């Protein structure tokens, strides 16, 4: 018979913790905790206590757990000690959109759109401004659902969003730019369907705003900007000497 629930979560950085002794191996904040998993089952009023293990449909429970947005993979199985084991891996947010046109959501590393969480914040690059999206503000699901959409405006907005996310991923993968850029601001997207939005980047230090222009060719543009900062640093050193 069912005697308890053991939850084993894989946090973003690949560590793990178990319900009970709670071993935390990740420095990153996680959206899912063992207590939350217990609450999912309790909210559905699933009668597990006292149930014969052989009558528990673990495949159905896996499907139930996977429906939670931040769950990437789930494995549910019973063990000889009478426990129901739930093993999860979590999606990792890579960017948050908090825009003037009413959108507030995360995009994960596997291209999944998830709503902003009420009690948890993940510190990832933030995109602000007016961003043309191919979906409504309450959309939750895979981003590639809009790839190849026959509607021209939807396809244009999807293409821009993918390029913008790739830009953010590039920034996040580079130690210098990750430390340098605190905010990415989209401007000009309200000018009309034929207008390609521009990008502004806000440095972590100082009060300047850098107009990057179109998101196209961002690697070359950032390389030129880095060269400028390096040259400015050398010139400043020479002036002080």
């Amino acid at each position: 018979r069912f005697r308890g629930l053991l939850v084993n979560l894989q946090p973003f950085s690949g560590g793990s913790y178990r319900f009970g002794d709670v071993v935390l191996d990740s420095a990153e904040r996680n959206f899912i905790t063992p207590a939350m998993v217990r609450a999912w089952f309790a909210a559905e009023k699933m009668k597990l206590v006292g149930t014969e293990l052989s009558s528990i449909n673990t495949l159905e429970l896996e499907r139930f757990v996977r429906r939670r947005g931040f769950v990437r993979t789930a494995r549910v199985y019973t063990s000889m000690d009478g426990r129901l084991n739930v093993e999860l891996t979590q999606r990792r947010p890579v960017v948050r959109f908090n825009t003037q046109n009413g959108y507030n959501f995360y995009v994960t590393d596997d291209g999944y759109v998830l709503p902003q969480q009420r009690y948890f914040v993940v510190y990832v690059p933030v995109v602000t401004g007016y961003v043309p999206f191919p979906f409504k503000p309450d959309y939750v699901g895979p981003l590639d659902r809009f790839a190849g959409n026959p509607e021209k405006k939807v396809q244009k907005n999807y293409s821009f969003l993918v390029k913008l996310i790739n830009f953010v991923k590039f920034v996040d993968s580079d130690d210098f730019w990750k430390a340098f850029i605190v905010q990415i601001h989209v401007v000009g997207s309200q000018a009309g369907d034929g207008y390609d939005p521009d990008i502004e980047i806000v440095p972590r230090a100082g009060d300047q705003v850098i107009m990057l222009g179109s998101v196209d060719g961002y690697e070359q543009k950032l390389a030129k900007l880095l060269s400028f900062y390096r040259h400015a640093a050398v010139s400043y050193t020479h002036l002080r000497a």
Side-chain angles (χ1 to χ4, degrees):
R1 292 180 180 274
F2 176 82
R3 294 181 54 243
L5 177 66
L6 180 65
V7 181
N8 182 20
L9 301 179
Q10 299 295 326
F12 303 144
S13 64
S16 65
Y17 54 78
R18 292 178 177 275
F19 185 83
D21 53 354
V22 191
V23 179
L24 289 169
D25 295 327
S26 173
E28 298 183 69
R29 183 181 297 274
N30 297 281
F31 281 101
I32 304 170
T33 67
M36 290 171 64
V37 178
R38 281 177 170 268
W40 296 345
F41 288 101
E44 294 297 318
K45 298 184 173 154
M46 294 184 177
K47 297 180 180 179
L48 297 174
V49 177
T51 302
E52 293 291 340
L53 292 180
S54 59
S55 65
I56 294 178
N57 188 336
T58 55
L59 292 179
E60 181 60 33
L61 293 181
E62 281 185 7
R63 286 190 287 269
F64 165 74
V65 172
R66 287 197 192 104
R67 286 198 293 269
R68 307 289 169 163
F70 275 95
V71 175
R72 186 196 297 268
T73 64
R75 179 172 175 250
V76 179
Y77 61 94
T78 58
S79 53
M80 296 296 293
D81 60 359
R83 289 184 181 273
L84 179 68
N85 298 271
V86 180
E87 295 183 354
L88 306 179
T89 60
Q90 303 181 58
R91 289 190 164 95
R92 184 177 70 89
V94 292
V95 59
R96 178 184 174 188
F97 288 86
N98 188 8
T99 69
Q100 295 173 0
N101 48 328
Y103 288 79
N104 192 358
F105 63 91
Y106 292 100
V107 175
T108 64
D109 57 345
D110 59 340
Y112 205 88
V113 176
L114 292 170
Q116 190 265 340
Q117 300 296 288
R118 183 176 180 182
Y119 300 108
F120 299 97
V121 175
V122 172
Y123 294 99
V124 293
V126 177
V127 176
T128 58
Y130 192 101
V131 182
F133 293 104
F135 47 79
K136 295 182 179 180
D138 59 351
Y139 175 73
V140 176
L143 182 59
D144 61 9
R145 179 176 296 174
F146 301 91
N149 190 290
E151 188 177 340
K152 184 177 179 180
K153 185 176 180 180
V154 171
Q155 186 57 39
K156 178 176 174 22
N157 291 347
Y158 169 77
S159 177
F160 172 74
L161 183 57
V162 169
K163 289 190 290 186
L164 183 58
I165 292 172
N166 288 336
F167 167 68
V168 174
K169 287 181 177 180
F170 178 82
V171 168
D172 195 48
S173 67
D174 185 281
D175 290 338
F176 176 82
W177 293 120
K178 185 176 182 178
F180 182 84
I181 298 174
V182 69
Q183 182 181 340
I184 299 161
H185 190 72
V186 178
V187 295
S189 57
Q190 292 172 285
D193 291 343
Y195 188 83
D196 193 18
D198 288 333
I199 305 297
E200 295 176 343
I201 55 178
V202 181
R204 192 173 301 276
D207 57 359
Q208 71 270 32
V209 175
I210 301 167
M211 174 62 76
L212 198 66
S214 168
V215 73
D216 293 325
Y218 59 82
E219 293 188 35
Q220 294 85 352
K221 293 176 182 179
L222 289 180
K224 290 181 180 179
L225 184 59
L226 179 59
S227 177
F228 167 79
Y229 275 106
R230 284 175 173 169
H231 178 74
V234 170
S235 299
Y236 179 74
T237 301
H238 288 167
L239 286 174
R240 286 180 57 88

